Amino acid sequence: MEKFFITTPIYYVNSKPHIGHAYTTIIADAFARYYRFKLGDDNVFFLTGTDEHGAKIAQSAEKLGKTPQEFCDEISGQFKNSWQNLSIEPNDFIRTTEERHEEVVKKILSTLKEAKTPKGNDVIFKGNYEGLYCVGCESYKKETDLIDGKCPDHGTAPEFLHEENYYFKLSDFGDAIAEKIRKDEIRILPQERKNEVLSFIEQGLEDIAISREQVKWGIKLPFDENQTTYVWIDALVNYISALGFPDSENYKKFWPADVHLLGKDILKFHCIIWPAILIAADLPLPKDLFIHGYFTIDGQKMSKTLGNVIDPNEIVFEYGAEAARYLIISQFAFGQDGDVKAEEFKIKFNADLANGLGNLVSRTLGMIEKYCGGKIPAGKYNADLDLNNLWTVVDANYSNYRILENLKEIWNAISWCDGYIAAQKPWVLAKENKQAELEQVLYNALEIIRHIAFLILPVLPQTSEKILDLLKVAKTDFESAKQINGLTVGAQLTQTEPLFLRK
Ligand code: MSP
């Protein structure tokens, strides 16, 4: 792999950022940081942004007496701020109300208008539709999708719509998409999600409306000014519009995406509609789609009505950006659902950050000060913890989106090092005047800490930098970081404040 293009979904601006949005975005940021480190900054592109058109947004703006654009500017700004507060550094933040995006949507629609399906039919045709539309989902629903007449995801009754729309002949694309998914030309992960998509396709795909007559807040169709583009078609195109499709260097370099990250609720849009658009437009398909689970809070769905929505900024306020990143993404395995219990943040903060990582660094530096005059002692790494293997495992886990497993590996190394110090007892070696042995033990501990500092870089970027500064290790390239015996013997170290203060 020479380049890495990772995306998050673009978030609807009808509500403020919450912990679910933060979860995907922090993980994407961690992946981007890992691959920037491994492949070089210029070879990674991390994209996020906001999804700003459609009936849902227009209605939310109207309720507040604002114009849709004012409303979008405000909430999109809140997303940007929240990401800054969490040290999230995307290469670009796309907004679907930007001209650069609207132009590309029109270009794609014009291409589709001329295109044929794999079965030789027109991709776009005009038709009438009557049906139940859920504004929350921004999609039509079947009677059988509803529970007591209401959308199960939004708890609201869909409205009955009758419109003349333009259609996308999705029903002609099922076989082509299924084949690409089966052959892993589009890799859908985890495996159960791949099966879910395939069995959905097997049941037969229905054509979808790609324009709306009654929605004004949207991108006008290039071939019919009286209709606006269906918000999902508009939104999916962000993944190429942000790169500057079709002629820019970024597009040529970074498309297709190496991975789109998304939640399970938007699986069909990404795994069926998006590939169909790309096949119809004769464009390359994304390589991986990784589908993650849902956060519940104390066993309940997060919702405004229940008042249990967690604002990621509150976690930053309480614990700082670094810890917030760690706490949010270490809740459950990436790809599964998981429940968040707010009181567990504190327990985990104390156990893993203040006591675990923070304490290992400060106690080791304390001993260097006490027993080695503050200087890195001479030594050659000879502890039993296999650091080369640790890097190999971590790299493989990144390739398989196993980020929680990586945190576990790193924290196991921290515990291993704690145990090693406890077993070797440098304080006893000091009393027995075994200075050479003592120095070797502390050298090993420092070398493990140096590796840990590089390994935590994707998730805890500032802490990584702080530890490397403390160890007088220069920021270096990936291959040099992984070398064993990378410490500068004789460097004078300084003591510092604890990295994380116990709560
Ligand atoms: N705008 C669309 C995406 C368009 S992408 C071309 C959208 N936006 S959203 O703001 O509603 O959701 C964005 C992402 O947040 C989705 O991946 C969704 O799964 C995720 N989450 C929303 N609530 C969540 C939880 N409670 N837990 C985890 N992720 C959640 O859909």
Side-chain angles (χ1 to χ4, degrees), residues 9-12 18 21 51 232 263 265-266 292 294-295 302:
I10 49 173
Y11 303 107
Y12 282 131
H18 61 57
H21 306 131
D51 187 355
W232 266 102
D265 53 329
I266 53 178
H292 68 75
Y294 246 54
F295 263 88
M302 208 170 18

Side-chain angles (χ1 to χ4, degrees), residues 39 128 169 190 280 318 395 435:
L39 308 173
N128 275 297
K169 197 144 186 55
E318 180 70 24
D395 195 60
Q435 188 63 15

Side-chain angles (χ1 to χ4, degrees), residues 229-242:
T229 310
Y230 171 48
V231 62
W232 266 102
I233 303 290
D234 169 351
L236 289 162
V237 171
N238 91 87
Y239 298 131
I240 56 173
S241 69

Side-chain angles (χ1 to χ4, degrees), residues 238-491:
N238 91 87
Y239 298 131
I240 56 173
S241 69
L243 291 178
F245 172 85
D247 296 319
S248 74
E249 286 307 310
N250 270 345
Y251 176 74
K252 289 179 199 152
K253 176 165 181 174
F254 288 107
W255 189 256
D258 292 272
V259 61
H260 293 312
L261 304 182
L262 52 132
K264 61 181 182 179
D265 53 329
I266 53 178
L267 175 80
K268 289 177 198 159
F269 299 101
H270 282 81
C271 299
I272 297 173
I273 300 181
W274 182 224
I277 295 173
L278 292 167
I279 292 173
D282 200 20
L283 296 172
L285 299 168
K287 293 181 198 159
D288 287 2
L289 290 133
F290 188 91
I291 292 79
H292 68 75
Y294 246 54
F295 263 88
T296 52
I297 310 293
D298 298 318
Q300 281 182 305
K301 202 177 154 177
M302 208 170 18
S303 84
K304 274 193 208 156
T305 346
L306 288 172
N308 62 354
V309 178
I310 300 185
D311 178 344
N313 293 298
E314 285 166 19
I315 309 176
V316 175
F317 184 72
E318 180 70 24
Y319 297 99
E322 293 281 290
R325 292 166 65 94
Y326 178 80
L327 295 173
I328 293 173
I329 69 177
S330 60
Q331 290 300 310
F332 48 85
F334 196 42
Q336 286 161 23
D337 287 329
D339 191 44
V340 176
K341 293 188 177 50
E343 72 269 19
E344 279 175 12
F345 282 148
K346 188 170 150 189
I347 299 171
K348 206 158 173 56
F349 175 88
N350 286 332
D352 294 2
L353 298 175
N355 294 347
L357 178 60
N359 188 46
L360 173 65
V361 172
S362 57
R363 88 192 264 230
T364 310
L365 286 180
M367 288 187 284
I368 293 286
E369 177 69 27
K370 193 163 173 192
Y371 303 125
C372 309
K375 289 198 170 77
I376 297 185
K380 283 265 176 284
Y381 183 73
N382 65 0
D384 286 342
L385 181 71
D386 185 344
L387 294 168
N388 287 324
N389 182 54
L390 182 57
W391 280 100
T392 309
V393 170
V394 165
D395 195 60
N397 281 339
Y398 272 114
S399 307
N400 293 306
Y401 308 101
R402 292 159 58 91
I403 193 156
L404 184 74
E405 285 72 4
N406 271 347
L407 296 180
K408 286 187 183 152
E409 292 289 341
I410 299 168
W411 262 261
N412 282 344
I414 293 173
S415 312
W416 191 93
C417 195
D418 272 334
Y420 172 73
I421 295 171
Q424 300 296 322
K425 301 190 176 54
W427 46 94
V428 173
L429 297 173
K431 270 196 199 132
E432 294 170 353
N433 285 325
K434 294 182 177 157
Q435 188 63 15
E437 268 179 58
L438 163 72
E439 290 185 358
Q440 180 60 51
V441 170
L442 291 180
Y443 180 91
N444 284 341
L446 280 182
E447 178 63 0
I448 293 173
I449 295 173
R450 187 183 70 83
H451 283 268
I452 287 169
F454 281 115
L455 288 161
I456 60 171
L457 178 153
V459 177
L460 299 162
Q462 272 117 42
T463 308
S464 160
E465 212 170 297
K466 266 194 208 164
I467 300 175
L468 293 172
D469 282 350
L470 286 173
L471 300 186
K472 298 283 187 296
V473 174
K475 223 185 155 209
T476 180
D477 64 275
F478 188 69
E479 289 309 319
S480 318
K482 285 162 57 178
Q483 296 299 314
I484 310 294
N485 296 320
L487 294 163
T488 309
V489 171

Side-chain angles (χ1 to χ4, degrees), residues 147-301:
I147 297 175
D148 296 334
K150 291 183 177 165
C151 164
D153 286 340
H154 294 93
T156 48
E159 44 182 316
F160 183 76
L161 287 184
H162 175 108
E163 283 192 330
E164 187 175 56
N165 300 129
Y166 288 88
Y167 279 80
F168 184 100
K169 197 144 186 55
L170 193 62
S171 54
D172 271 7
F173 286 82
D175 294 344
I177 301 169
E179 185 180 277
K180 298 206 182 279
I181 294 174
R182 253 184 238 115
K183 286 188 180 157
D184 281 340
E185 281 172 42
I186 316 173
R187 212 160 61 119
I188 297 178
L189 300 156
Q191 175 76 29
E192 35 318 347
R193 298 292 174 198
K194 172 176 170 179
N195 301 339
E196 192 180 324
V197 177
L198 285 173
S199 74
F200 185 79
I201 297 175
E202 270 159 29
Q203 289 160 31
L205 298 178
E206 284 179 17
D207 299 334
I208 54 158
I210 55 135
S211 68
R212 297 290 312 275
E213 201 175 25
Q214 285 155 27
V215 175
K216 297 290 164 248
W217 182 239
I219 302 173
K220 289 198 172 126
L221 292 185
F223 43 83
D224 186 342
E225 294 265 298
N226 294 319
Q227 302 247 350
T228 58
T229 310
Y230 171 48
V231 62
W232 266 102
I233 303 290
D234 169 351
L236 289 162
V237 171
N238 91 87
Y239 298 131
I240 56 173
S241 69
L243 291 178
F245 172 85
D247 296 319
S248 74
E249 286 307 310
N250 270 345
Y251 176 74
K252 289 179 199 152
K253 176 165 181 174
F254 288 107
W255 189 256
D258 292 272
V259 61
H260 293 312
L261 304 182
L262 52 132
K264 61 181 182 179
D265 53 329
I266 53 178
L267 175 80
K268 289 177 198 159
F269 299 101
H270 282 81
C271 299
I272 297 173
I273 300 181
W274 182 224
I277 295 173
L278 292 167
I279 292 173
D282 200 20
L283 296 172
L285 299 168
K287 293 181 198 159
D288 287 2
L289 290 133
F290 188 91
I291 292 79
H292 68 75
Y294 246 54
F295 263 88
T296 52
I297 310 293
D298 298 318
Q300 281 182 305
K301 202 177 154 177

